[in-house]
Amino acid sequence: QVQLVQSGAEVKKPGASVKVSCKASGYTFTSYEINWVRQATGQGLEWMGWMSPNSGQTGHIQKFQGRVTMTRDTSISTAYMELSSLTSEDTAVYYCVRGTWELLEHWGQGTLVTVSS
Amino acid sequence: DIVMTQTPLSSPVTLGQPASISCRSSQSLVHSDGNTYLSWLQQRPGQPPRLLIYKISNRLSGVPDRFSGSGAGTDFTLKISKVEAEDVGVYYCTQASQFPVTFGQGTRLEIK
């Protein structure tokens, strides 16, 4: 069965960077896009961007321009999302999601990133 | 960006009774390819979201048929024919007809 297993919770100081991993199994990693969606505590969902594991092509919303990097290692079927220059407003659960934009079909369990001095 | 507005924000429902959630988009969600990329997600407490319905009315495999979606253009509805205890959670509509993907603010379904 399709599984997306994300890395564990992180605590970072303001200004630092965080890199979240998402290991895929149960399907051909390069055949489906990976999206990243975040959710601040008690808040709604925010789509951050996407990556094609096949080509490495990425796209993200303007809000994260210059701060987000989405990469992958196809040899271990793992996608990564790195967010830099963290502030308290980046405190959230970050989800990787397999699928096209219109079919956010399989969700990872989420990774809590806490930004605190 | 397309703004998705859900109503109500909270819906107390009696077990076995129907529930309905509305979602309105700030622009038409009809894509240039003719499809309407409006989906519904369910997030149970402490869980990641789960896709229930895509392209307005298509249920994902394994989703109970008490869930149904309808609508067109800018107005959409998710209906639960007979609410069960496991349906408690927050429901989100989401659009992917125009970049970027956006979500409604969520509707909390709770049992009376």
Side-chain angles (χ1 to χ4, degrees):
Chain A
Q1 73 282 21
V2 174
Q3 276 198 305
L4 299 172
V5 178
Q6 298 184 222
S7 48
E10 304 259 16
V11 179
K12 296 292 183 181
K13 293 195 182 302
S17 297
V18 67
K19 190 171 186 177
V20 178
S21 68
C22 171
K23 182 169 178 59
S25 62
Y27 72 99
T28 301
F29 178 62
T30 51
S31 294
Y32 296 86
E33 295 169 0
I34 293 287
N35 297 262
W36 290 91
V37 176
R38 75 178 186 178
Q39 184 173 38
T41 303
Q43 301 300 309
L45 301 167
E46 180 177 39
W47 185 79
M48 299 176 67
W50 65 278
M51 180 191 66
S52 164
N54 184 42
S55 66
Q57 184 181 4
T58 64
H60 55 267
I61 61 176
Q62 182 66 29
K63 177 177 182 175
F64 297 108
Q65 184 68 33
R67 283 212 301 142
V68 70
T69 305
M70 297 175 188
T71 57
R72 88 289 192 213
D73 184 338
T74 56
S75 68
I76 55 172
S77 299
T78 300
Y80 302 93
M81 187 284 298
E82 184 169 20
L83 190 62
S84 62
S85 303
L86 293 169
T87 72
S88 58
E89 295 188 352
D90 295 315
T91 294
V93 176
Y94 290 77
Y95 295 102
C96 61
V97 190
R98 189 198 90 165
T100 56
W101 302 350
E102 60 268 22
L103 201 68
L104 298 174
E105 190 173 3
H106 291 281
W107 292 63
Q109 85 275 19
T111 296
L112 175 62
V113 175
T114 303
V115 183
S116 174
S117 54
Chain B
D1 297 0
I2 293 179
V3 176
M4 307 295 287
T5 303
Q6 292 181 226
T7 54
L9 296 184
S10 179
S11 180
V13 183
T14 302
L15 287 174
Q17 293 301 302
S20 180
I21 299 169
S22 294
C23 176
R24 177 167 291 179
S25 58
S26 60
Q27 302 173 37
S28 171
L29 297 186
V30 179
H31 191 273
S32 57
D33 66 6
N35 289 304
T36 299
Y37 296 110
L38 183 284
S39 300
W40 290 95
L41 304 169
Q42 174 197 60
Q43 187 173 29
R44 291 171 172 154
Q47 297 291 315
R50 167 197 179 197
L51 181 64
L52 296 177
I53 288 173
Y54 62 98
K55 285 199 289 185
I56 302 177
S57 60
N58 295 273
R59 271 191 310 275
L60 212 64
S61 175
V63 173
D65 60 8
R66 63 178 181 276
F67 290 94
S68 64
S70 63
T74 61
D75 289 284
F76 306 92
T77 303
L78 174 70
K79 291 183 179 175
I80 308 173
S81 58
K82 294 179 183 178
V83 171
E84 298 188 6
E86 67 178 18
D87 300 336
V88 165
V90 180
Y91 291 79
Y92 296 93
C93 60
T94 176
Q95 71 80 25
S97 291
Q98 183 182 115
F99 185 92
V101 171
T102 50
F103 298 89
Q105 66 272 56
T107 294
R108 185 171 301 278
L109 184 74
E110 52 195 26
I111 306 301
K112 279 184 185 174

